[in-house]
Amino acid sequence: MDRRTFVLGTAAAAIQASRLVAWQAAAVELGSIDGSVGGNQFTPSQFLDYLSSIKLTWAMISLPAAVVGDETAIRQIRDHADQLGIRLQLAHGSVCPSSRSFNPQLGTLEEQVSRALKASQIFGAKCMRCILGGDPERPQIEMHIDNMVKAIRGLRSRILDSGVKLAVENHGGDLQAREMKTMIEAVGRDVMGVCLDSGNPVWMLEDPHMTLETLIPYTETCHVRDSAVWKVPEGIAVRWVNMGDGNVDIDGWIRKFIQAKPGLPIIFENLVSARPRIHAIFDPKFWDNWRQMPAWELSRFLAVAEKGTPKTAVPLAAGKTAGQQRIEDLETCVRYTRDLLRRI
């Protein structure tokens, strides 16, 4: 092969790859988790009606324990979603028995997971979102990971029989991507995957792109929002913002996501922060919870902060409720993302 043939062949391959990504982007469906419009006291049916009104076709719903165990109520939600052309996923809570987020008053782990798996089956979902915990678990995260691995291994056959995978969220405060990968491999990829959240990495001192690169092979569903990261005297400030208002290259993140996971929807969890979270990285005690973090991972996060500028929250306008602002923010993100998908 001569040089000209090689160059032309390479260019043709690049054009073909670009067209493939554009085709994948055009086919992406959008949805939202109910928390994106928190404060409006929507019932599940009202939430689905609202999503239909803005032409979203996926809904991730968190339900009270009493409803999760009520198959009639679950079927009514599924029937209403079917009428609207909306596909459903369940947002479940903690599946780590030693986590403060786990509520033993709702039954044993097996009982809680069994109910959630049944609800997910009725929803027609292939996965259900769940978590380990949050900030309280970070000081003893290795112990909690071990406990969760042991507990889920004991439920393997039940999970496999259901046909519904556990999609563990890289949740704000608990697990870094490297730790999640190790945990999933220990449990088994046939029963556990990832609910890949684009916003939580900045709470965990991670570049969201590094988190995606680490966890995308395991990803079953997602939560998407944008983030701003910048330097402050104490260290690093992070804040969740509307799509396009951050500095983590959310456009590039979405491109990577749809290229790696064609067919998966983009599900918004749009939670605009009222105030930034401060990582006091110059305080030696801050590092008590992060002793195992490799320097190269931190350097990627610091590089993001280096490019950032302060993003302070805009006060709520007079007469506008927090719920109304949530709706406005979500619709802003939907418009932004639809425009992005047209441009890819």
Side-chain angles (χ1 to χ4, degrees):
M1 180 185 296
D2 60 27
R3 182 176 181 278
R4 182 174 182 275
T5 303
F6 174 77
V7 171
L8 290 175
T10 303
I15 291 170
Q16 187 175 5
S18 177
R19 287 174 177 169
L20 177 60
V21 174
W23 177 83
Q24 290 168 340
V28 170
E29 295 186 56
L30 303 180
S32 178
I33 186 167
D34 47 10
S36 294
V37 290
N40 289 286
Q41 286 76 52
F42 286 154
T43 65
S45 292
Q46 289 172 330
F47 175 58
L48 293 172
D49 288 338
Y50 168 67
L51 293 191
S52 179
S53 74
I54 59 173
K55 297 180 170 57
L56 299 190
T57 55
W58 283 78
M60 187 181 289
I61 301 179
S62 53
L63 298 170
V67 177
V68 174
D70 185 341
E71 293 187 18
T72 300
I74 297 296
R75 292 186 192 282
Q76 289 173 346
I77 295 170
R78 168 69 189 270
D79 290 344
H80 192 61
D82 286 347
Q83 291 169 9
L84 298 172
I86 294 175
R87 298 183 67 179
L88 298 171
Q89 291 179 347
L90 179 69
H92 185 64
S94 175
V95 293
C96 176
S98 58
S99 166
R100 283 196 212 176
S101 298
F102 180 78
N103 185 356
Q105 294 182 352
L106 300 178
T108 65
L109 177 65
E110 182 176 4
E111 291 169 340
Q112 293 187 40
V113 169
S114 295
R115 289 194 296 264
L117 290 173
K118 182 61 179 179
S120 295
Q121 287 177 311
I122 295 171
F123 275 178
K126 295 180 180 179
C127 67
M128 70 174 199
R129 173 266 190 187
C130 55
I131 62 170
L132 183 150
D135 283 320
E137 282 64 59
R138 190 66 208 168
Q140 296 177 295
I141 194 63
E142 291 86 0
M143 179 267 287
H144 293 295
I145 291 172
D146 287 344
N147 290 341
M148 184 160 157
V149 167
K150 291 173 185 174
I152 300 305
R153 280 176 175 166
L155 300 176
R156 275 186 59 82
S157 60
R158 186 177 292 272
I159 298 168
L160 283 170
D161 289 346
S162 74
V164 178
K165 275 191 184 182
L166 304 186
V168 182
E169 181 181 344
N170 52 307
H171 200 227
D174 58 9
L175 292 164
Q176 291 190 303
R178 150 185 37 79
E179 296 162 336
M180 283 198 70
K181 177 180 178 179
T182 300
M183 181 180 72
I184 291 167
E185 294 287 357
V187 170
R189 296 175 65 173
D190 53 348
V191 296
M192 182 180 284
V194 172
C195 174
L196 182 62
D197 191 296
S198 67
N200 287 331
V202 300
W203 274 38
M204 306 305 292
L205 309 181
E206 292 180 340
D207 172 3
H209 289 259
M210 189 214 73
T211 308
L212 180 146
E213 291 156 15
T214 303
L215 297 179
I216 197 67
Y218 310 91
T219 295
E220 302 291 333
T221 187
C222 70
H223 290 164
V224 173
R225 60 186 173 281
D226 202 353
S227 302
V229 184
W230 69 96
K231 297 189 298 183
V232 293
E234 305 95 317
I236 307 296
V238 302
R239 186 173 158 260
W240 295 326
V241 295
N242 278 328
M243 295 289 284
D245 288 346
N247 66 301
V248 297
D249 183 20
I250 197 65
D251 294 12
W253 195 97
I254 288 177
R255 286 189 185 95
K256 292 176 184 177
F257 181 86
I258 62 177
Q259 188 170 13
K261 291 292 179 178
L264 285 192
I266 290 172
I267 298 179
F268 297 105
E269 186 183 26
N270 201 57
L271 306 172
V272 176
S273 307
R275 59 184 63 85
R277 181 181 179 101
I278 305 298
H279 297 300
I281 63 173
F282 303 123
D283 180 354
K285 278 195 65 64
F286 173 82
W287 291 101
D288 288 349
N289 287 348
W290 311 97
R291 296 292 182 192
Q292 305 304 317
M293 185 178 188
W296 73 267
E297 290 184 5
L298 178 63
S299 71
R300 287 191 60 168
F301 179 67
L302 295 177
V304 177
E306 195 67 35
K307 297 180 293 185
T309 55
K311 281 280 185 178
T312 54
V314 176
L316 195 64
K320 183 184 290 186
T321 68
Q324 289 169 335
Q325 185 64 55
R326 285 282 188 88
I327 286 175
E328 185 177 309
D329 288 339
L330 176 59
E331 293 181 10
T332 295
C333 293
V334 170
R335 287 192 297 271
Y336 179 93
T337 306
R338 283 183 171 143
D339 181 62
L340 170 63
L341 294 173
R342 283 191 290 267
R343 292 186 279 110
I344 290 177

